[in-house]
Amino acid sequence: MAEINHFEYGWITPGLSYALSVLGSILGLVCAGRIRTARTSGQRAWWGLLSAWALGGTAIWAMHFMAMLGFAVEDTRIRYDVPLTAASTAIAVVAVGIGLAIVGTGRLNPVRLIAGGIFTGAGVASMHYTGMAAMRLNGSLSYDTLRVVLSVVIAVVASTVALWLAMTVRRGLAIFASALVMGIAVNGMHFTGMSALSVHRHEQAGEVTGAGVSTLLVPIVLAVLFGVVGLLYALLAAPTDDDRAAAAYLDGRRLAEPAPSTPTAAPDPVGLRARSTLGQPGTPFPSRRDTPPR
């Protein structure tokens, strides 16, 4: 059995993975809050997609890969199967998206919440073990059944709590505190699943095929950066509840203002205005010569 090191670079990779999970959770919770205030089904679908990408793509999958950077096995190099790695990303995003659709359509109740949590948790666990299956090394992998079941239970509980928070939390401080808790839950699930892993090294060293960590690191980091920037831009560009309330207030004031009245002429009881020619432009000044003789 080969020796496994989960923290090859010390606490750098766990710290970065926790930061990614917290960042993705914050963005996902804020986007999920926009689902509740969306006015059309198209807007709800848009914010649901962004929330699924933030939670599934950043808080869960990017956190998983960042933690895997610190994973090492004695006397063997680790490669990754690219199609399976991409599939694990899709599994995480789709699972969270379907979970949000379950709890976000209609009134939130315990049945919807539990169903969404079970589906999302199973998807998160599938993402984790699909990502592990994408590893290529000079050895075979085996798992402790009890710890695998425990990791799945943690994933289901964490997903249920995350969906409940996504549908109920609205204030900034509460969102930040919830993201901290979600980060602990996601990392707890990951490292519980990793603790179930054992590697039995092959006696004869064979060629390890696949993409190296350095090869995958650049596109993954760029995808995370562009995804975070895109989410922030979408959140900043979209009008908030306060913006809508202010626009409605201004529209109400504009409709309530009376129409401007046309000015009325001052009364002229003796008809001087009609007989006067002094106020007309171009009228010559009267002279005594113009007066006819008597």
Side-chain angles (χ1 to χ4, degrees):
M1 186 177 296
E3 182 179 353
I4 296 176
N5 186 2
H6 295 284
F7 308 102
E8 185 178 17
Y9 302 105
W11 290 97
I12 296 177
T13 50
L16 291 176
S17 66
Y18 180 73
L20 278 175
S21 61
V22 171
L23 176 61
S25 298
I26 291 174
L27 294 174
L29 290 175
V30 174
C31 291
R34 299 297 179 91
I35 299 175
R36 298 189 297 268
T37 58
R39 298 182 177 180
T40 64
S41 58
Q43 291 177 353
R44 286 191 291 271
W46 169 249
W47 289 114
L49 177 63
L50 293 182
S51 181
W53 173 256
L55 291 172
T58 304
I60 297 173
W61 185 85
M63 168 268 147
H64 166 84
F65 190 84
M66 182 58 65
M68 290 303 297
L69 292 179
F71 178 78
V73 180
E74 182 185 16
D75 295 334
T76 180
R77 55 194 320 189
I78 298 176
R79 301 279 185 174
Y80 290 91
D81 183 89
V82 175
L84 273 181
T85 302
S88 66
T89 310
I91 290 172
V93 175
V94 171
V96 173
I98 295 178
L100 288 171
I102 292 174
V103 300
T105 55
R107 187 173 183 180
L108 182 64
N109 55 56
V111 176
R112 288 180 179 273
L113 183 61
I114 293 174
I118 291 175
F119 189 92
T120 305
V124 171
S126 300
M127 179 280 305
H128 175 81
Y129 291 106
T130 301
M132 297 301 296
M135 284 197 310
R136 299 290 180 262
L137 48 81
N138 186 31
S140 58
L141 308 180
S142 62
Y143 295 92
D144 179 75
T145 304
L146 180 61
R147 294 189 182 185
V148 170
V149 172
L150 181 59
S151 68
V152 175
V153 171
I154 293 174
V156 171
V157 173
S159 299
T160 304
V161 174
L163 292 175
W164 178 76
L165 292 173
M167 293 294 107
T168 56
V169 174
R170 297 186 179 185
R171 300 296 181 183
L173 185 59
I175 289 176
F176 182 72
S178 301
L180 294 178
V181 175
M182 289 172 62
I184 294 174
V186 171
N187 281 265
M189 178 269 161
H190 172 82
F191 288 106
T192 300
M194 293 302 296
S195 68
L197 175 66
S198 299
V199 177
H200 300 271
R201 192 171 60 247
H202 297 155
E203 294 182 359
Q204 295 182 353
E207 183 181 0
V208 180
T209 60
V213 174
S214 59
T215 305
L216 293 176
L217 184 60
V218 174
I220 289 174
V221 169
L222 290 177
V224 171
L225 287 177
F226 282 114
V228 170
V229 171
L231 289 169
L232 290 174
Y233 177 78
L235 288 170
L236 293 175
T240 62
D241 293 340
D242 295 337
D243 296 333
R244 295 191 185 97
Y249 173 76
L250 292 176
D251 291 339
R253 288 291 301 272
R254 191 178 298 111
L255 293 175
E257 290 179 355
S261 57
T262 57
T264 57
D268 186 18
V270 295
L272 294 177
R273 187 179 298 111
R275 295 197 300 268
S276 176
T277 59
L278 294 178
Q280 303 298 327
T283 303
F285 191 81
S287 174
R288 290 179 178 271
R289 298 177 181 176
D290 299 330
T291 304
R294 296 179 181 180

